[in-house]
């Protein structure tokens, strides 16, 4: 779907698109269960990821407990690791957050991104579906929930809701939890700055990951991204006061980017004091 003409040069078989994954039924009509009957996944499986970011700047805030668990898992035989996992489950100790994907597709049109052709327009999950998944995570003993999508900040715009409203609904169901917010487009971070500040201040947000992609206004305009650098810096510094972990992403080497413009990205990162920065090289 990203480039059907090029794909046709080396592949002429059947396929189903990610933006309409239910079309898999036409290829496998004998399946006992239909795709629409399968609930969304609530964990991310990294072992088979195709490519990791080439550059990562990181200042770890990993707890001693997490380090100990990772070390033990690495040195112990498989049977003992499985036993440890059962023990952790008994005491409701979870190493990773419970993932709730709150939307599919995307409503932005970033100049460098080809994903939109493959994932389609933005579709928010209905509120009751998100709440159902949240309560399932509570039932399984999770205390940290990762809220994710291609663009989490746009949640609800197509169904008369919003991301802050969603989080408040979840907290009304069970309040002794924290949230990691992934892929928070700066456009919506600015839009909901007051609500997010209050949620962070109350201790309910443990991490916000908001990809700036550049710290230079000209490059951001070329990228078709949020380009008010001064306003974005104010919002990040405001959240820095109350949010335990702030992450971002930048793209290095966007067409026509100068060394001086890239230095502006670095200055922005330093001024905010991000805990974690993904650095992606630009690819044609």
């Amino acid at each position: 779907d990203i480039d059907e003409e090029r794909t046709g040069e080396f592949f002429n078989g059947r396929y189903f698109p990610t933006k309409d994954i239910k079309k898999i039924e036409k290829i496998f009509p004998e399946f006992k269960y239909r795709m629409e009957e399968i609930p969304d996944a609530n964990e991310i499986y990294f072992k088979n990821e195709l490519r990791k970011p080439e550059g990562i700047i990181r200042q770890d805030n990993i707890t001693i407990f997490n380090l100990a668990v990772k070390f033990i898992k690495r040195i112990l035989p498989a049977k003992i690791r499985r036993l440890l996992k059962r023990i952790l489950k008994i005491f409701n100790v979870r190493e990773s957050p419970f993932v709730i994907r709150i939307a599919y597709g995307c409503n932005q049109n970033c100049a460098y991104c080809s994903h939109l052709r493959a994932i389609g327009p933005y579709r928010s999950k209905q509120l009751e579906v998100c709440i159902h998944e949240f309560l399932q995570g509570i039932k399984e003993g999770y205390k940290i929930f990762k809220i994710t999508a291609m663009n989490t900040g746009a949640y609800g715009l197509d169904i008369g809701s919003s991301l802050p409203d969603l989080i408040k609904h979840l907290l009304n169901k069970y309040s002794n939890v924290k949230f990691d917010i992934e892929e928070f487009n700066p456009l919506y971070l600015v839009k909901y700055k007051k609500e997010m500040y209050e949620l962070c201040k109350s201790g309910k947000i443990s991490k916000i990951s908001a990809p700036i992609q550049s710290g230079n206004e000209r490059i951001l305009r070329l990228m078709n991204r949020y380009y008010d650098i001064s306003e974005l810096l104010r919002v990040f510094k405001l959240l820095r006061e109350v949010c335990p972990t702030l992450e971002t992403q930048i793209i290095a080497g966007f067409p026509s980017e100068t060394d001086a413009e890239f230095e502006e990205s670095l200055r922005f990162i330093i001024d905010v004091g991000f805990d974690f920065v993904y650095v992606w090289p630009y690819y044609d």
Side-chain angles (χ1 to χ4, degrees), residues 93-193:
V93 176
R94 298 291 182 174
E95 300 171 59
S96 56
F98 188 89
V99 179
I100 301 178
R101 172 167 41 184
I102 61 174
Y104 303 91
C106 191
N107 63 332
Q108 304 303 125
N109 191 27
C110 302
Y112 53 81
C113 183
S114 58
H115 289 73
L116 190 60
R117 300 175 193 170
I119 64 178
Y122 200 86
R123 291 100 64 204
S124 298
K125 270 186 185 176
Q126 292 298 318
L127 182 61
E128 57 268 23
V129 177
C130 294
I131 291 175
H132 174 77
E133 292 183 34
F134 173 71
L135 293 177
Q136 181 62 36
I138 295 296
K139 184 178 178 181
E140 294 179 18
Y142 286 87
K143 298 294 184 184
I144 299 178
F145 290 79
K146 179 178 289 188
I147 305 299
T148 192
M150 187 63 75
N151 185 0
T152 58
Y155 177 81
L157 296 182
D158 55 336
I159 59 173
S161 185
S162 69
L163 178 63
D165 284 344
L166 169 63
I167 295 174
K168 289 172 185 176
H169 272 95
L170 299 181
L171 289 172
N172 284 338
K173 294 293 181 181
Y174 193 86
S175 61
N176 189 25
V177 293
K178 293 185 178 183
F179 298 97
D180 291 351
I181 313 296
E182 296 280 311
E183 297 297 338
F184 207 147
N185 189 299
L187 173 67
Y188 299 99
L189 190 66
V190 172
K191 178 181 176 68
Y192 299 126
K193 59 186 175 185

Side-chain angles (χ1 to χ4, degrees), residues 5-30:
E5 186 174 323
R6 281 180 59 204
T7 304
E9 294 175 5
F10 59 85
F11 178 77
N12 59 5
R14 292 178 296 170
Y15 75 97
F16 58 93
T18 50
K19 62 188 174 190
D20 191 5
I21 202 168
K22 288 183 287 187
K23 287 187 176 179
I24 191 176
E25 315 293 354
K26 294 182 180 179
I27 300 177
F28 301 101
E30 72 279 8

Side-chain angles (χ1 to χ4, degrees), residues 46-60:
F46 285 111
K47 291 183 180 178
N48 286 334
E49 68 178 348
L50 296 177
R51 183 172 61 84
K52 296 182 180 179
E54 278 74 0
I56 292 179
I57 303 170
R58 183 168 190 172
Q59 296 174 7
D60 277 320

Side-chain angles (χ1 to χ4, degrees), residues 57-61 207-208 210 212 232-249 264-278:
I57 303 170
R58 183 168 190 172
Q59 296 174 7
D60 277 320
N61 291 322
K207 183 179 78 171
I208 292 176
I212 59 169
L232 192 56
L233 185 60
R234 282 194 293 269
V235 172
F236 271 120
K237 285 189 172 182
L238 181 70
L239 293 173
R240 177 76 285 181
E241 298 173 4
V242 290
C243 186
T245 302
L246 285 178
E247 297 182 355
T248 195
Q249 302 175 26
E264 289 186 39
S265 295
L266 298 184
R267 280 199 298 272
F268 190 98
I269 290 168
I270 293 168
D271 285 348
V272 174
F274 288 102
D275 301 284
F276 193 109
V277 180
Y278 293 88

